[in-house]
Amino acid sequence: MPIFYDPQTKLFRLDTKTSSYAFMVYEENYLVHLYYGPRVTDQDLQPLMYRGWYDSLSPRNPQVSDPRFTLDVIPQECPGTSTGDFRISAAEARNAAGNTVTDLRYVGHSITPGKPALPGLPATFAQEGQAQTLEIEMADPLTGLKAFLLYTVFENHGAMARSVRFENAGGQPLDLERAYSLCLELPTMDYDMIHMYGRWAKENTVVRHPLQHGLQAIQSKRGMTSPNHNPFVALARQDSGEEYGQVIGVNLVYSGNFAMEIEVDTPGCPRLLAGINPSTFRWRLAPGESFQAPEAVMVFSEEGLGAMSRDFHKLYLDHLSRSQWTKKKRPILINDWEAAVFDFDDQLLVEFAQEAAKLGVEMLVMDDGWFGARNNDRAGLGDWQVNEQKLKGGLSHLIERVNAAGLKFGIWYEPEMVNPDSGLYRAHPDWIIQAPGRNKSLSRNQCVLDMTRQEVRDNIFQQMYDVISQNKIDYIKWDCNRHITEAGNAVLPPERQGEFFHRYVLGVYELMDRVTTAFPHILLENCSSGGARFDPGMLYYSPQIWTSDCTDPIERLTIQFGASLCYPPASMGAHVSASSRTGFATKGNVALMGSHGFELDPRKLTEEEKAIAKAQVADYHKYYDLTHYGDLYRLTDPAVDPFVCDWQFVSPDKKEVLFTRVVMRRPENLYQVRRLRGLDPEKVYVDEETGRKYSGALLMHAGLDLSQPWPGPADGSSVLKHFTAE
Ligand code: GLA
């Protein structure tokens, strides 16, 4: 079993296949962090304790016998506030006296098989035998605040999940002001911080910079995770890269205001915190109440970012994404948005379906515009009744005709939103998020419904239920196209207004849970102006997420490569569209990296494009298992190499390999060789196209020759190579 406790030394050691994580209960029940890195033994860990050195200004607890002990430099598992540790704190509760001194000490622990669910929150899951969980109880005896730290070890995935539940066991109310899910302490600062920033249609730009003394952080205060920063940070040793070196990835299973902060204090020891953003959070804990913070997932890799990503991918497919569609073959779809926008009717959709059927497409998704008075983005959100002027004869009649063409049918919703020009808003203007006396900012002409309120969620659920239960719907695209401003809540008392943002997220999760539980057969695809809510919380409910509204294949390379740092390729919605920068074949090869679909008017394709589209559908089926359950190897970095972008999938048994190259700009050299990765050196691989045979050792160590005669490959062209082992 992966969790060890030694009652003599009071040492905890948590082992995965790649890593050990260790901490101990010290004198006065301080919970002191010791180690996170490659596998070690208890014996290795014995001498570990002090890092850096205290100086004359460092406060110390006189009850501790060793005079060197000061929280000023001691690494901790759940550092509180104003106790002599002056770094960013993981837990802070304002008590009845009005101060925020928070002093949590170890009380006890339990180790159990499997993993408990987190109430109201998406989280990784595991059966007995798949994981083991350690719960540490900590308490602040003066105020009665308790913290239950949960560590679940996924031994075979190199991963750990961490979360904290707070409880008020005292007699006075407490206000939780910082409730981080994870605190990670490192002994040296020779790490780079890697994270993803972006904006609409330009998500997941990866940046890497050395840690500096002081604070460095990413966050969201937008109510949703946002495209601006993804809730993912990797700390990579400065000598590490894609294939080599030590990397720790941290990803927060949360879809709201988050913060991931790293502080490097004077001794040069980084502390990373991940959790709910404290700057928009305050939670009143009445006596007896508890608060569950979301979960953070950590992966340790000694083989660079590539291995870290593959561990995240496997963990999320096996233990996070709960939909039956995660492991079930999904239909290849066509979505009408880019081709039709709001300008469609039933006839056009039937024509789309009939044409798409000829290409082998299996599902039609009717995007925005099918409901209420939704003829543009200024009206209709909130009125989820079929617009029968557009869909003459009603939705069932349309679906019958789409089904008759051989396609399944999917539908678009934006459940959290309302246009002021809508029946719902006119009936319930008080249901939007607003602060008394403040402006009501609009974004895309819409307001956000207050999802903290049960009656709002019930109304939207009922509206959705009526349509979905009466029609043969196979898929839902759940969109979310604005962020939250003037964050006030009409129901919560003033002392609880700080709970609003988290309650909003809980409300969204509850609604998503209700919809997916009522209709488990439905394939849910999340979306938020493209990939603005591409996070593990959403992945829990939906096995695929629309990666970006940018469907230009060259732009998509950096967007998809960025997302693949922690999200499985199988979860990335990736469509072939009418965008014009590359040839049609390359669009398909880029879409094949994710969950392939189409987003165009199939009637407008040339005969040549139709033939290629048919071949793409065939490729989708042929390579489905490889691209959805295989191991991804990023062979280049499209943000660094201006010429070519190469990646590769390898089947788990290493018998099948799919190599893709996209030529972003014609390379300066005709001579082109790429070393493949992750093959079996002993196996002989046959190139399906040429019949040539190569040993795995040769492909990995000498490389695959991709040279072409002058003038070399054209800009925007691509290569797809399939190898099978003899
Ligand atoms: C967002 C989505 C698009 C599309 C539109 C519809 O921008 O990202 O894919 O669904 O909304 O309004």
Side-chain angles (χ1 to χ4, degrees):
M1 273 313 200
I3 299 178
F4 306 92
Y5 174 64
D6 180 346
Q8 299 294 311
T9 54
K10 298 189 176 172
L11 181 84
F12 291 92
R13 202 182 81 241
L14 287 64
D15 283 351
T16 73
K17 63 174 185 182
T18 52
S19 64
S20 295
Y21 184 96
F23 53 92
M24 71 178 294
V25 184
Y26 189 68
E27 265 180 67
E28 293 299 311
N29 292 321
Y30 286 110
L31 199 58
V32 173
H33 174 84
L34 295 179
Y35 178 81
Y36 188 32
R39 290 276 292 249
V40 289
T41 63
D42 278 10
Q43 227 170 357
D44 296 326
L45 293 166
Q46 288 309 321
L48 271 178
M49 168 63 91
Y50 294 102
R51 290 182 182 162
W53 195 245
Y54 70 103
D55 63 31
S56 57
L57 287 177
S58 296
R60 55 176 300 268
N61 180 350
Q63 271 132 26
V64 175
S65 59
D66 186 339
R68 295 172 307 156
F69 184 95
T70 170
L71 292 180
D72 211 354
V73 290
I74 293 287
Q76 299 195 70
E77 285 302 302
C78 186
T81 302
S82 199
T83 53
D85 181 334
F86 298 98
R87 293 161 288 182
I88 45 178
S89 69
E92 182 171 312
R94 194 171 291 280
N95 55 41
N99 67 64
T100 56
V101 181
T102 307
D103 190 358
L104 292 162
R105 311 281 180 93
Y106 170 87
V107 175
H109 74 271
S110 62
I111 298 173
T112 47
K115 180 173 191 295
L118 304 188
L121 285 167
T124 53
F125 49 79
Q127 310 297 328
E128 276 188 29
Q130 294 179 324
Q132 206 182 16
T133 298
L134 165 68
E135 184 179 272
I136 301 273
E137 180 181 342
M138 300 185 80
D140 181 342
L142 189 73
T143 61
L145 179 71
K146 287 189 170 194
F148 296 87
L149 318 185
L150 224 60
Y151 301 79
T152 299
V153 181
F154 293 92
E155 199 176 359
N156 298 326
H157 294 78
M160 276 173 47
R162 294 178 58 179
S163 64
V164 185
R165 186 177 82 253
F166 293 93
E167 197 180 293
N168 183 353
Q172 302 284 332
L174 294 169
D175 285 318
L176 211 47
E177 297 189 353
R178 293 169 76 84
Y180 275 98
S181 305
L182 163 151
C183 172
L184 174 65
E185 308 264 22
L186 293 165
T188 58
M189 62 184 287
D190 55 345
Y191 286 86
D192 290 334
M193 175 182 180
I194 298 174
H195 60 103
M196 294 178 248
Y197 79 97
R199 60 160 169 77
W200 174 73
K202 189 78 181 158
E203 296 85 347
N204 310 327
T205 303
V206 178
V207 275
R208 175 171 184 156
H209 49 80
L211 288 184
Q212 310 279 353
H213 276 96
L215 274 170
Q216 36 254 290
I218 55 167
Q219 65 165 358
S220 169
K221 296 203 283 183
R222 296 165 177 269
M224 294 85 185
T225 31
S226 93
N228 302 61
H229 296 287
N230 196 278
F232 168 81
V233 163
L235 288 175
R237 289 286 287 276
Q238 279 165 0
D239 58 3
S240 70
E242 179 67 20
E243 301 293 339
Y244 306 100
Q246 292 180 16
V247 182
I248 298 166
V250 179
N251 200 193
L252 191 66
V253 188
Y254 192 56
S255 312
N257 288 352
F258 71 91
M260 297 176 96
E261 301 183 68
I262 302 167
E263 181 173 11
V264 185
D265 199 10
T266 307
C269 306
R271 167 178 289 172
L272 182 150
L273 299 178
I276 293 177
N277 192 336
S279 71
T280 53
F281 171 81
R282 173 142 49 85
W283 195 278
R284 170 57 58 101
L285 273 183
E289 283 183 350
S290 60
F291 177 81
Q292 177 64 57
E295 173 169 295
V297 174
M298 294 196 308
V299 167
F300 177 85
S301 154
E302 266 199 282
E303 290 168 24
L305 288 160
M308 174 204 73
S309 298
R310 290 185 286 278
D311 268 347
F312 270 114
H313 299 168
K314 282 193 209 109
L315 181 79
Y316 286 173
L317 293 179
D318 293 347
H319 295 288
L320 176 67
S321 186
R322 68 172 191 177
S323 163
Q324 54 177 248
W325 287 103
T326 305
K327 294 282 178 79
K328 193 165 128 184
K329 189 150 179 228
R330 299 174 220 153
I332 185 163
L333 65 83
I334 185 164
N335 177 303
D336 71 356
W337 174 249
E338 280 196 29
V341 193
F342 293 105
D343 192 15
F344 62 87
D345 61 8
D346 56 309
Q347 189 50 36
L348 185 80
L349 294 176
V350 171
E351 284 174 28
F352 269 40
Q354 287 166 344
E355 276 305 312
K358 294 181 197 156
L359 308 175
V361 172
E362 296 162 306
M363 180 158 71
L364 175 77
V365 176
M366 175 175 70
D367 209 280
D368 195 355
W370 58 269
F371 50 90
R374 185 78 169 164
N375 297 315
N376 50 51
D377 65 14
R378 294 188 295 281
L381 287 176
D383 297 341
W384 300 107
Q385 300 93 38
V386 178
N387 179 335
E388 295 209 7
Q389 276 156 4
K390 273 190 188 174
L391 307 183
K392 291 167 216 75
L395 186 55
S396 293
H397 182 51
L398 167 64
I399 296 176
E400 273 160 27
R401 286 180 288 162
V402 170
N403 289 165
L407 274 73
K408 294 176 184 299
F409 187 81
I411 194 168
W412 181 94
Y413 276 101
E414 195 176 0
E416 298 149 72
M417 302 293 161
V418 66
N419 287 114
D421 185 0
S422 68
L424 185 74
Y425 185 91
R426 282 184 279 276
H428 301 285
D430 58 317
W431 279 8
I432 64 163
I433 294 169
Q434 52 191 320
R438 299 286 175 192
N439 194 20
K440 295 182 187 53
S441 300
L442 290 176
S443 176
R444 212 190 186 211
N445 307 302
Q446 63 201 52
C447 303
V448 188
L449 287 168
D450 191 342
M451 285 289 151
T452 69
R453 292 168 65 175
Q454 187 71 51
E455 68 273 34
V456 178
R457 298 198 298 272
D458 286 349
N459 177 293
I460 298 298
F461 177 75
Q462 197 55 51
Q463 289 199 59
M464 294 178 80
Y465 187 87
D466 290 346
V467 173
I468 302 166
S469 61
Q470 285 161 29
N471 292 283
K472 205 165 159 293
I473 289 170
D474 301 296
Y475 161 111
I476 290 175
K477 180 174 171 185
W478 183 308
D479 213 332
C480 170
N481 285 317
R482 73 156 284 184
H483 295 149
I484 295 175
T485 54
E486 291 89 29
N489 177 282
V491 184
L492 292 167
E495 69 276 14
R496 285 190 179 269
Q497 288 287 319
E499 300 174 16
F500 164 73
F501 274 109
H502 183 61
R503 286 188 183 277
Y504 179 87
V505 181
L506 293 180
V508 173
Y509 288 151
E510 194 233 60
L511 187 59
M512 225 170 253
D513 185 59
R514 268 165 98 179
V515 172
T516 48
T517 305
F519 306 104
H521 72 281
I522 280 192
L523 167 55
L524 182 70
E525 175 156 2
N526 254 282
C527 172
S528 177
S529 300
R533 203 159 57 177
F534 206 130
D535 64 54
M538 290 293 125
L539 204 53
Y540 177 77
Y541 302 98
S542 53
Q544 67 191 47
I545 303 177
W546 183 226
T547 317
S548 178
D549 276 349
C550 176
T551 51
D552 174 280
I554 302 297
E555 292 287 320
R556 268 284 179 142
L557 294 171
T558 47
I559 296 170
Q560 293 178 184
F561 265 52
S564 78
L565 271 183
C566 52
Y567 305 111
S571 67
M572 295 181 211
H575 295 175
V576 171
S577 76
S579 65
S580 57
R581 190 125 68 108
T582 71
F584 205 80
T586 295
K587 293 174 188 175
N589 290 340
V590 173
L592 204 54
M593 182 182 177
S595 217
H596 189 319
F598 293 90
E599 183 125 356
L600 42 73
D601 184 342
R603 302 166 313 165
K604 293 189 179 152
L605 295 179
T606 64
E607 287 311 310
E608 190 196 347
E609 286 169 338
K610 282 182 188 165
I612 302 173
K614 274 189 206 163
Q616 288 171 353
V617 174
D619 280 351
Y620 171 81
H621 293 297
K622 180 173 172 187
Y623 302 127
Y624 189 90
D625 285 352
L626 198 45
T627 57
H628 283 68
Y629 315 125
D631 289 326
L632 173 73
Y633 289 82
R634 295 177 294 254
L635 303 177
T636 64
D637 180 347
V640 173
D641 185 330
F643 300 111
V644 295
C645 177
D646 295 352
W647 69 94
Q648 181 202 325
F649 284 100
V650 181
S651 61
D653 61 6
K654 296 187 184 291
K655 286 187 176 160
E656 229 189 317
V657 180
L658 187 67
F659 166 85
T660 311
R661 158 164 291 192
V662 172
V663 179
M664 299 180 288
R665 234 177 93 201
R666 182 184 307 183
E668 74 281 57
N669 279 320
L670 297 175
Y671 172 72
Q672 288 285 317
V673 167
R674 177 67 59 208
R675 288 191 178 93
L676 303 192
R677 309 286 310 181
L679 311 188
D680 180 345
E682 309 278 310
K683 285 193 166 48
V684 172
Y685 292 89
V686 185
D687 179 336
E688 184 182 307
E689 190 191 359
T690 62
R692 272 194 212 118
K693 295 181 180 178
Y694 307 90
S695 72
L698 178 111
L699 287 173
M700 288 197 291
H701 306 320
L704 174 68
D705 189 354
L706 295 150
S707 307
Q708 284 189 26
W710 191 87
D715 289 8
S717 62
S718 57
V719 176
L720 194 69
K721 277 199 166 292
H722 183 218
F723 299 88
T724 32
E726 271 188 335

